[in-house]
Amino acid sequence: MTAASPVISVVLPARDEGDRVGATIASALDAAAGPDEVDIVVVDDCSEPGSRPGIADGPARRRTTVIRSDRHLGVGAARNLAARHARGRVLFVTDAHTRFSDGWDREALRLLTPARILSVTVRDSSSQWRGYGCRLVIPYMGTRWNTSLPGPAPHVHVASSAGTVLEHALFDRLGGYDEGMVQYGGFEPEFSVRAWRFGAEIVHTDAIEIAHRFKPEDECAAFVGPRRTAMVHNCLRFGTAHLPESMILEMVRLHALEFPDHIQAALTMLEQRGAWRRREELNASLPYDFAWFVRHFGLHDQIGRPVPAT
């Protein structure tokens, strides 16, 4: 690592990603207009010994800090840990299996402002499909990719999970990702809605493109299966934190219908992890309520009804 502080820190949690991590790091540095101003912070989130991050010797290793966790942190806590070790003024949050477009760092610095979060274009590395940030599905509290550029700003509800860029100071003011969530799922949408309610804006850009390895269907099913209860809990926590009270029961009902084998355990986790206390904290600290977010985007629920204000 050079003595000078980096300008941009790439924040990269990794669990059982092996050599994909090294390829991602190489891509970030090779595609950067100013690689000397970039560092990488990898959190090895309790990978199995044979699948720990593989990073080749040379410049990539010198510019990379690897933090090993001996317990499984989950996506949010791993990103937060990486951010605490990041020295850059700007954070580029991505995944362990991505490729960067040329000049990504130059474009990030050109487009960022202190109260702005960038959502970058995500391309499927095995096809021509592209995602332009995500929209929120209410009251289910899931997301759907935008498959065409949003307008007019172009603002998006939710930043791209494989490419979220913001100033380190803003990340700290927002409090990072919600560590009351567990394992996987829901972190980016909750962070994004909280950012909007804080007074930040999320702007999508097609000037930066990340090629992302999406899991094949069988691999995805094997990955999601053991994490389903956690994912249901995370959606419920997200909704409990932000939705009008009148919509929370509908959110629970939707998840109970879709995941009857997981809902009871997810509700138990919701109570144990202080979801209602989190709601009170956010309502007391954020200048905008969820009703403002709804008005700002002119949102309706997933079957076209107006979202109630309370």
Side-chain angles (χ1 to χ4, degrees):
M1 185 73 66
T2 58
S5 294
V7 177
I8 301 181
S9 292
V10 177
V11 169
L12 199 160
R15 179 173 168 83
D16 295 329
E17 293 285 356
D19 290 340
R20 293 188 190 119
V21 176
T24 296
I25 293 170
S27 174
L29 295 174
D30 291 346
D36 291 344
E37 297 181 330
V38 175
D39 76 340
I40 319 288
V41 183
V42 177
V43 169
D44 176 9
D45 189 10
C46 199
S47 299
E48 293 295 327
S51 302
R52 292 177 181 172
I55 304 168
D57 291 332
R61 181 171 291 277
R62 291 194 296 272
R63 297 185 184 283
T64 301
T65 300
V66 179
I67 304 149
R68 165 75 180 171
S69 175
D70 291 327
R71 65 181 181 88
H72 182 23
L73 300 173
V75 172
R79 287 175 177 172
N80 290 347
L81 178 58
R84 289 196 293 272
H85 285 79
R87 300 188 299 137
R89 175 176 63 82
V90 171
L91 301 180
F92 193 117
V93 182
T94 191
D95 291 341
H97 36 256
T98 55
R99 300 293 182 272
F100 290 67
S101 59
D102 289 341
W104 62 271
D105 55 330
R106 177 185 61 241
E107 293 300 322
L109 296 176
R110 179 178 69 85
L111 295 168
L112 268 185
T113 64
R116 173 176 289 177
I117 298 171
L118 296 180
S119 168
V120 314
T121 298
V122 174
R123 175 175 63 83
D124 180 3
S125 59
S126 63
S127 72
Q128 293 303 305
W129 180 93
R130 284 171 171 78
Y132 303 97
C134 295
R135 62 189 183 276
L136 187 62
V137 179
I138 303 171
Y140 188 82
M141 304 313 280
T143 58
R144 297 289 183 270
W145 282 100
N146 297 317
T147 54
S148 59
L149 276 171
H155 288 113
V156 295
H157 305 166
V158 176
S160 306
S161 59
T164 298
V165 193
L166 72 167
E167 292 196 353
H168 202 157
L170 176 58
F171 183 90
D172 291 341
R173 289 198 299 273
L174 289 169
Y177 293 92
D178 180 8
E179 295 192 20
M181 292 183 170
V182 290
Q183 293 185 19
Y184 177 83
F187 290 96
E188 203 67 52
E190 193 285 325
F191 180 83
S192 295
V193 171
R194 182 158 33 96
W196 278 111
R197 290 183 58 190
F198 178 82
E201 64 170 356
I202 302 175
V203 175
H204 190 81
T205 178
D206 60 354
I208 305 171
E209 184 172 284
I210 291 292
H212 183 274
R213 177 188 178 271
F214 288 90
K215 293 179 174 65
E217 187 173 345
D218 57 343
E219 187 179 337
C220 186
F223 177 84
V224 167
R227 298 166 177 82
R228 178 60 72 188
T229 299
M231 293 171 69
V232 173
H233 162 267
N234 290 354
C235 279
L236 298 182
R237 180 177 171 90
F238 176 23
T240 300
H242 296 282
L243 279 177
E245 285 193 27
S246 58
M247 298 194 80
I248 292 175
L249 184 59
E250 176 66 8
M251 172 191 65
V252 173
R253 186 184 73 84
L254 291 170
H255 284 275
L257 287 172
E258 186 169 359
F259 304 110
D261 295 337
H262 300 272
I263 189 66
Q264 188 60 55
L267 288 169
T268 299
M269 290 174 64
L270 193 72
E271 183 66 26
Q272 291 173 340
R273 301 182 74 84
W276 288 97
R277 183 173 64 251
R278 173 69 169 173
R279 178 187 180 88
E280 293 170 359
E281 292 169 352
L282 295 182
N283 285 340
S285 62
L286 296 176
Y288 298 102
D289 59 14
F290 191 77
W292 172 89
F293 176 80
V294 169
R295 292 192 302 271
H296 183 74
F297 284 106
L299 298 182
H300 289 72
D301 73 8
Q302 57 208 64
I303 60 172
R305 299 172 302 186
V307 176
T310 58

